[in-house]
Amino acid sequence: MNKIIEAAIPLFATKGLACVSVKELADAAGVNIALISYYFGGKDNLYAFILERQLALLGDALDSISQEEISPVMKIRRFADILLETYKQSPYIDRLFFMEILSPTKYFDSIVKTAASRLHVFLQDCIKKAVDQGEFRPGIDPKLAAMSLMKILNVSFTSLHFCKGLLDSKEDIADRYMANALEIYLHGVTNEG
């Protein structure tokens, strides 16, 4: 079963659900084609399983951070750190997410939009609390600021694929890129006095 999942993730992330055949999945996993139906009930269910599993990693992070007794800004920083670690462990998570945005499947509303909404609410709450506590400038719209932050953090990874060759090829480029993007954002919203 794990062989199927591991083979399916990069195929779905790079080609999308519609462009991956069951035969291609079976060949990539080195398994009999019937095992995809046996374990998952078909290609579509395998895709839904992978989406849910990948996005659940971020949901678990939100649950964990929400329970921590730290400032809203530290919660945002913790989330960025966990997002970076999640990306390193699951390097196709961003492509799966953006593939759904660019070419939504029947799972967009039930899986992807639900996960994105949950992330948005978490960031929105952190931003609202940071404004209320004076950490962020007054007058910031938490809904819009959360959407901007979501884009900055998520596009950080997608753009890394695009920027190969444009940026130096150090191993820690994702870490440095994320830290830089977050600092630029926080500098713009932080209450300086």
Side-chain angles (χ1 to χ4, degrees):
M1 185 164 116
N2 286 335
K3 284 173 58 174
I4 296 170
I5 294 166
E6 289 172 18
I9 291 172
L11 288 173
F12 286 140
T14 56
K15 298 174 92 175
L17 174 62
C19 294
V20 177
S21 71
V22 177
K23 181 181 178 345
E24 186 176 12
L25 288 166
D27 289 348
V31 299
N32 184 299
I33 200 167
L35 288 179
I36 294 168
S37 290
Y38 177 77
Y39 285 118
F40 300 99
K43 175 181 84 163
D44 284 17
N45 290 342
L46 170 60
Y47 180 76
F49 177 83
I50 287 170
L51 272 180
E52 287 175 339
R53 189 168 165 186
Q54 292 283 295
L55 295 174
L57 297 171
L58 297 178
D60 293 345
L62 296 180
D63 292 341
S64 173
I65 297 167
S66 293
Q67 301 304 314
E68 294 180 23
E69 297 288 330
I70 56 177
S71 74
V73 173
M74 285 308 299
K75 286 184 180 192
I76 291 170
R77 289 184 181 281
R78 286 270 300 124
F79 178 73
D81 291 342
I82 290 173
L83 184 64
L84 181 62
E85 287 308 310
T86 301
Y87 170 75
K88 287 178 180 178
Q89 293 171 9
S90 302
Y92 290 99
I93 192 168
D94 64 319
R95 293 186 200 185
L96 285 166
F97 181 78
F98 283 107
M99 186 65 74
E100 274 291 320
I101 289 172
L102 295 173
S103 184
T105 66
K106 63 186 176 185
Y107 303 107
F108 179 77
D109 285 335
S110 63
I111 299 173
V112 177
K113 193 172 181 182
T114 300
S117 295
R118 186 171 176 207
L119 170 58
H120 185 261
V121 168
F122 169 80
L123 292 174
Q124 180 181 318
D125 289 347
C126 288
I127 292 166
K128 182 177 182 334
K129 287 176 183 169
V131 170
D132 292 345
Q133 294 174 9
E135 291 184 272
F136 284 0
R137 291 185 287 113
I140 291 174
D141 182 326
K143 286 183 181 180
L144 298 176
M147 186 61 66
S148 296
L149 182 55
M150 282 175 59
K151 289 178 182 179
I152 288 167
L153 296 177
N154 285 313
V155 171
S156 295
F157 302 118
T158 304
S159 63
L160 287 176
H161 303 295
F162 172 75
C163 292
K164 284 185 179 168
L166 296 176
L167 300 173
D168 53 349
S169 59
K170 294 181 181 179
E171 283 187 32
D172 70 341
I173 191 66
D175 299 56
R176 293 185 311 125
Y177 192 90
M178 173 66 88
N180 191 47
L182 184 60
E183 289 308 313
I184 290 170
Y185 176 87
L186 290 174
H187 179 74
V189 297
T190 301
N191 192 357
E192 295 294 327

